[in-house]
């Protein structure tokens, strides 16, 4: 008898402790939406059934991570928990300086406070919202140079996070002295959770070398990116993910990191880099607002949990499940005729709201309209990634974003296949009633990162 091949997507864990989920009625959700100004960031978590707002810090820790918390050493300076954390980071990213921060944006703020400033230009495949905001806050300009395929939601190109290397070369030729650092985000979150190929990272390194520029990774989803390289890039299939990660790290001069993503933490981040002088200047700023360099805004126990999470995230069984289970949701929506960004990203499924709601102008926020509908209909919380998030320009004017997407971000190891089947069911219902949805207008907004706190008013009645 030949060995049977089973195709069920298998969660490589069983449940260790449970969190009850509470159903709400549509009336309750309508009231919650009104009270929150139709901004899902303002809705209380207790009123959410399935929370796909973000995969940031929302994953489930393993029993070994919970056990690691007990080993936390809370010494102010030189805690052994720091060294354990530093060595776990260095096992994957062998940078001389590993500077813990309370989360990724703190690493960004510190790095760009040192390297940014008026007149500076910082390229990336696509800047994440906090990265862009931290760059612009210093007066510098954030430039997105993703390949053309990365801007086409229907393109099946396997590495839609790749940098347009010719455009990068042109920018560095024209503005060289103004560019302090080149960034690459793996995977490209704002561009649809799309991976960057190893070949492209090598090409970016060559351009950086030719122009004498440092390369920094925004490495939040490095393990998912490495899995995509292993499974999609020619010649990489037999390699271990840790090997691929180390090769990527070897191409860079430093990294910013949110430990709330692939390191499986509920909080944390770091800045790691090779250059001594830059590290000294970053540490000086760290002490000013984050804390002493061996804890940087984290408790010793957090550092322990992250060190353990870094071991777990590069496990092939975990990554196979992670990528396949996200793909499962994306494929089910695709088969239902819902316009999803293809191929399916690593941590999230992105839906092309502009294609789904062609009757709503981008400046009436089709992504927000769908996110609101999904919550009202099924208690599912998602996140707009489009004109609400990126439409406001530094000069205060407003412009349609390149894409109007909304995102179903899947927390790590948290929901089961049946939760995801429910999500698909609700999405299909909303898609069937898409023509009935209205747009929204912004009532109040802050000057930066407006999507977190802005309030909205529907431009008509929708009853999906
Ligand atoms: C989440 C994220 C950040 C910011 O990290 P926080 O921990 O949320 O501050 C930066 N870049 C990317 C690509 C991210 O996904």
């Amino acid at each position: 008898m030949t060995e049977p091949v089973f195709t069920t997507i298998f969660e490589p864990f069983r449940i260790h402790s449970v969190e009850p989920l509470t159903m709400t009625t549509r009336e309750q959700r309508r009231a919650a939406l009104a009270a929150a100004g139709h901004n899902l960031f303002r809705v209380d978590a207790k009123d959410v059934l399935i929370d796909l707002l973000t995969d940031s810090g929302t994953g489930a820790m393993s029993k070994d991570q919970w056990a690691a918390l007990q080993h936390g050493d809370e010494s102010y300076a030189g805690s052994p928990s720091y060294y354990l954390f530093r060595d776990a980071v260095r096992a994957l990213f062998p940078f001389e300086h590993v500077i813990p921060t309370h989360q990724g944006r703190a690493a960004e703020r510190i790095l760009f406070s040192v390297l940014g400033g008026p007149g500076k230009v910082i390229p990336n495949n696509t800047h994440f919202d906090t990265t862009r905001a931290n760059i612009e806050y210093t007066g510098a300009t954030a430039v997105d140079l993703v390949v053309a395929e990365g801007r086409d939601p229907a393109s099946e190109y396997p590495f839609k996070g790749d940098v347009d290397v010719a455009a990068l070369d042109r920018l560095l030729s024209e503005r060289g002295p103004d560019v302090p650092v080149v960034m690459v985000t793996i995977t490209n979150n704002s561009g649809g959770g799309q991976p960057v190929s190893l070949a492209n990272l090598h090409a970016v390194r060559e351009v950086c070398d030719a122009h004498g520029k440092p390369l920094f990774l925004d490495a939040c989803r490095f393990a998912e990116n490495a899995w995509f390289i292993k499974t999609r890039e020619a010649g990489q299939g037999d390699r271990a993910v840790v090997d691929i990660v180390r090769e990527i790290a070897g191409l860079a001069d430093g990294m910013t990191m949110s430990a709330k993503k692939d390191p499986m933490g509920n909080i944390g981040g770091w800045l790691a880099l090779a250059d001594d002088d830059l590290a000294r200047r970053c540490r000086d700023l760290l002490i000013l607002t984050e804390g002493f360099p061996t804890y940087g805004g984290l408790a010793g126990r957090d550092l322990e949990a992250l060190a353990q999470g870094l071991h777990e995230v590069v496990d092939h069984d975990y990554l196979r499940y992670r990528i396949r289970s996200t793909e499962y949701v994306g494929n089910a929506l695709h088969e239902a005729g819902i316009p999803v960004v293809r191929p399916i990203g690593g941590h999230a499924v992105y839906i092309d709201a502009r294609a789904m709601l062609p009757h709503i102008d981008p400046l009436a926020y089709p992504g927000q309209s769908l996110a609101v509908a999904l919550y009202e209909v099924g208690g599912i919380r998602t996140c707009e990634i489009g004109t609400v998030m990126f439409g406001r320009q530094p000069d205060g004017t407003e412009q349609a974003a390149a894409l109007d997407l909304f995102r179903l971000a899947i927390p790590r190891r948290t929901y089961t296949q049946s939760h995801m089947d429910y999500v698909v069911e609700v999405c299909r219902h909303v898609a069937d009633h898409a023509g009935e949805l209205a747009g929204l207008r912004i009532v109040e907004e802050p000057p930066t990162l407006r999507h977190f706190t802005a309030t909205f008013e529907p431009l008509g009645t929708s009853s999906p």
Side-chain angles (χ1 to χ4, degrees):
M1 195 176 84
T2 54
E3 205 44 44
V5 178
F6 300 115
T7 57
T8 304
I9 299 174
F10 189 82
E11 288 99 352
F13 48 80
R14 58 184 181 186
I15 291 163
H16 168 262
S17 67
V18 298
E19 283 183 276
L21 295 174
T22 317
M23 285 285 192
T24 48
T25 64
R26 187 187 275 236
E27 272 326 298
Q28 287 170 322
R29 294 191 293 271
R30 278 211 182 107
L33 278 171
H38 292 80
N39 184 339
L40 295 163
F41 282 101
R42 298 170 69 111
V43 170
D44 284 337
K46 70 170 174 42
D47 297 325
V48 175
L49 182 61
I50 306 277
D51 205 344
L52 309 182
L53 184 68
T54 173
D55 64 322
S56 179
T58 53
M61 292 209 297
S62 67
K63 65 177 180 177
D64 288 335
Q65 283 183 290
W66 285 106
L69 292 179
Q70 292 292 342
H71 292 279
D73 179 308
E74 305 304 341
S75 303
Y76 191 93
S79 159
S81 301
Y82 168 72
Y83 294 106
L84 189 83
F85 162 79
R86 184 199 64 181
D87 293 346
V89 172
R90 278 195 190 155
L92 296 167
F93 303 95
F95 295 117
E96 176 63 22
H97 304 281
V98 178
I99 302 171
T101 59
H102 80 277
Q103 59 183 89
R105 69 198 66 186
E108 293 168 350
R109 192 193 59 80
I110 289 169
L111 182 67
F112 300 127
S113 298
V114 176
L115 295 180
K120 296 284 170 58
V121 180
I122 299 170
N124 203 330
N125 41 1
T126 309
H127 287 281
F128 184 63
D129 59 351
T130 61
T131 321
R132 172 172 284 277
N134 272 298
I135 289 168
E136 289 174 350
Y137 190 74
T138 72
T141 306
V143 180
D144 293 339
L145 297 178
V146 74
V147 288
E149 291 89 338
R151 287 192 221 98
D152 173 6
S155 162
E156 294 281 351
Y157 186 66
F159 291 103
K160 291 168 79 173
D162 278 0
V163 176
D164 181 338
V165 177
L168 177 65
D169 192 40
R170 223 174 304 124
L171 178 78
L172 292 175
S173 300
E174 287 164 10
R175 302 283 309 266
D178 300 327
V179 180
V181 62
V182 172
M183 303 278 306
V184 179
T185 305
I186 58 172
T187 58
N188 191 21
N189 185 359
S190 302
Q194 300 291 327
V196 181
S197 66
L198 200 51
N200 187 252
L201 288 163
H202 276 277
V204 169
R205 177 73 260 174
E206 276 172 32
V207 172
C208 288
D209 283 343
H211 293 271
K213 296 296 172 193
L215 170 62
F216 270 58
L217 301 167
D218 176 342
C220 296
R221 297 179 184 80
F222 68 93
E224 293 172 7
N225 200 105
W227 182 260
F228 282 123
I229 287 173
K230 178 179 168 63
T231 54
R232 291 183 184 170
E233 194 160 347
Q236 302 298 322
D238 292 335
R239 295 182 71 187
V241 160
V242 278
D243 243 31
I244 297 172
V245 172
R246 287 189 195 119
E247 181 174 338
I248 294 172
L251 296 169
D253 300 286
M255 67 193 296
T256 57
M257 187 70 187
S258 170
K260 303 172 74 172
K261 316 291 171 52
D262 272 355
M264 305 276 198
N266 296 127
I267 194 70
W270 68 84
L271 175 63
L273 65 165
D275 186 85
D276 296 337
D277 182 56
L278 181 58
R280 186 187 48 74
R281 293 163 72 196
C282 289
R283 282 204 179 95
D284 289 347
L285 283 178
L286 182 88
I287 292 175
L288 203 59
T289 56
E290 287 283 298
F292 190 74
T294 59
Y295 73 85
L298 292 171
R301 57 178 165 273
D302 298 327
L303 294 167
E304 295 268 346
L306 295 177
Q308 177 60 29
L310 283 172
H311 295 305
E312 295 175 6
V313 76
V314 290
D315 177 75
H316 288 191
D317 287 339
Y318 162 73
L319 283 167
R320 182 178 302 109
Y321 142 78
R322 171 71 173 159
I323 300 303
R324 281 191 71 200
S325 60
T326 305
E327 191 175 45
Y328 171 82
V329 177
N331 285 343
L333 297 178
H334 180 64
E335 280 154 25
I338 294 172
V340 292
V341 174
R342 307 272 304 166
I344 307 305
H347 68 293
V349 177
Y350 294 69
I351 298 177
D352 184 350
R354 213 176 275 171
M356 213 169 148
L357 303 181
H359 61 289
I360 297 183
D361 187 85
L363 295 180
Y365 317 124
Q368 188 70 17
S369 172
L370 281 165
V372 165
L374 224 61
Y375 174 73
E376 186 184 315
V377 170
I380 299 165
R381 173 152 68 174
T382 58
C383 181
E384 193 260 15
I385 300 205
T387 302
V388 174
M389 193 178 270
F390 295 116
R392 193 183 155 108
Q393 307 303 305
D395 66 4
T397 59
E398 182 161 34
Q399 190 172 296
L403 298 172
D404 271 295
L405 307 176
F406 80 107
R407 182 185 73 179
L408 282 55
I410 322 256
R412 293 171 181 76
R413 306 187 292 204
T414 303
Y415 292 113
T416 63
Q417 289 288 315
S418 47
H419 290 130
M420 291 301 123
D421 285 335
Y422 171 77
V423 168
V424 170
E425 219 183 331
V426 173
C427 287
R428 292 175 69 139
H429 175 88
V430 169
D432 288 344
H433 294 80
E436 296 158 35
L437 299 187
L440 301 104
R441 72 173 193 90
I442 288 182
V443 180
E444 264 187 303
E445 61 179 307
T448 53
L449 294 175
R450 66 178 181 177
H451 52 288
F452 288 127
T453 54
T455 54
F456 300 83
E457 190 176 73
L459 291 167
T461 44
S462 339
S463 51

